[in-house]
Amino acid sequence: MNSHMIILKNDEEIEFMRAANRLVGMTLGELSHHIKPGITTLELDRIAEQFIRDHGAIPTFLGYGGFPNSICTSVNENVVHGIPNNKPLDEGDVVSIDCGTNLNGFCGDSAYTFCVGEVKEEVKKLLRVTRESLYKGIGQAMEDNRIGDIGSTIQSYCETNGYSVVRELVGHGIGRQMHEAPEVPNYGRRGTGPLIKNGMCIAIEPMINMGGRKVIFENDGWTVRTKDRKPSAHFEHTIAIRNGKADILSTFEFIQETV
Ligand code: MG
Ligand code: MG
């Protein structure tokens, strides 16, 4: 199959996608009750993997391109793709957790940046603005708009707030595969990119830096961090376009909110 082809989903397929994404939301919710100073990201990984398997699904990230764990855990200056490890989280850290499931052959993908204990107000603001930018992007995901309308809206909202948008990593189509066409950048120009159609399923995932937009790819082969080592935030939802507008398939409803 041509990997540039956008695979539209019918209503039945979208309901399978909703189930996989709801499980991702439940997993993030379960993790939110464990995130506190002293817990390690490896412990969080074990909780997530067990929870996903107990619900009859497979953790999509485990072994994906050789990734060693079931969730990505990216602390403070780490943007995405952090590998869980034995270092305890500290009071004042933020940790972005990205989680994927495969349930009955369909993929879920969602991410959330959590506070560990009390976090500085300026960092909480970065989290709030990034999360708001996700919903503003989702608001542009409607039939007859273009993919560039999503990124353009996310970029202008975040830059207006003094933050910068990572360019090297983008959102994506999703379905039976975690990564399908099209790419969904968090930056760009209105009126550009593929036309948005009913049946499209995409993951929108702003990665927003407090400082400059430049990132470094670490030698572990996975971790992406900010060049200036200032904090970064990452929020992601999987959505479907149905009846002309966005139907959010993943959910933050199970998460114990901290910002
Ligand atoms: Mg993700
Ligand atoms: Mg994704």
Side-chain angles (χ1 to χ4, degrees):
M1 188 184 300
N2 182 339
S3 64
H4 298 291
M5 197 175 79
I6 296 172
I7 303 166
L8 301 180
K9 281 80 181 177
N10 62 31
D11 281 351
E12 188 183 14
E13 291 167 322
I14 288 171
E15 293 315 309
F16 278 107
M17 300 271 306
R18 194 189 309 280
N21 277 286
R22 185 173 175 81
L23 179 55
V24 176
M26 290 166 62
T27 308
L28 291 173
E30 175 67 19
L31 293 175
S32 72
H33 298 290
H34 294 273
I35 294 171
K36 46 179 74 84
I39 195 162
T40 69
T41 49
L42 204 49
E43 288 172 293
L44 294 173
D45 176 68
R46 293 204 188 98
I47 292 165
E49 178 174 2
Q50 192 62 51
F51 189 89
I52 291 166
R53 293 194 191 281
D54 285 348
H55 287 81
I58 297 163
T60 326
F61 294 2
L62 185 61
Y64 188 93
F67 190 76
N69 293 86
S70 295
I71 53 173
C72 298
T73 54
S74 307
V75 179
N76 296 336
E77 72 268 29
N78 292 335
V79 180
V80 287
H81 300 169
I83 302 172
N85 62 31
N86 271 318
K87 185 177 179 295
L89 293 172
D90 279 331
E91 179 93 21
D93 284 346
V94 289
V95 57
S96 300
I97 299 189
D98 197 345
C99 181
T101 63
N102 186 306
L103 180 64
N104 298 317
F106 288 87
C107 291
D109 188 9
S110 180
Y112 193 96
T113 303
F114 298 89
C115 293
V116 182
E118 264 319 302
V119 168
K120 276 192 223 155
E121 186 52 41
E122 62 167 0
V123 180
K124 283 198 212 175
K125 188 186 170 200
L126 170 70
L127 270 46
R128 279 196 296 269
V129 168
T130 304
R131 183 182 164 150
E132 286 159 8
S133 80
L134 168 60
Y135 288 101
K136 287 182 184 293
I138 290 171
Q140 294 295 315
M142 59 178 90
E143 193 181 18
D144 298 332
N145 267 8
R146 289 186 178 274
I147 289 292
D149 299 340
I150 297 171
S152 147
T153 298
I154 291 171
Q155 180 181 11
S156 65
Y157 184 68
C158 292
E159 289 182 351
T160 298
N161 278 279
Y163 303 136
S164 62
V165 178
V166 173
R167 303 292 202 280
E168 288 82 352
L169 301 129
V170 296
H172 50 91
I174 179 167
R176 288 183 179 275
Q177 304 295 323
M178 181 163 63
H179 294 122
E180 295 183 355
E183 291 196 339
V184 184
N186 300 299
Y187 58 91
R189 285 182 31 235
R190 179 159 285 283
T192 63
L195 204 55
I196 297 172
K197 294 184 180 146
N198 278 317
M200 277 177 71
C201 290
I202 54 175
I204 302 176
E205 48 179 314
M207 289 154 256
I208 306 302
N209 296 347
M210 183 175 280
R213 70 175 173 87
K214 294 266 170 58
V215 295
I216 300 284
F217 290 76
E218 295 278 24
N219 289 333
D220 63 14
W222 285 102
T223 310
V224 181
R225 71 156 167 91
T226 57
K227 185 162 190 282
D228 58 17
R229 295 193 182 273
K230 290 186 178 168
S232 185
H234 180 214
F235 287 82
E236 175 180 28
H237 271 315
T238 292
I239 67 157
I241 312 302
R242 289 180 71 233
N243 304 317
K245 58 182 177 41
D247 181 353
I248 305 177
L249 303 178
S250 50
T251 176
F252 298 152
E253 72 185 278
F254 300 106
I255 291 172
Q256 186 178 296
E257 304 282 356
T258 51
V259 282

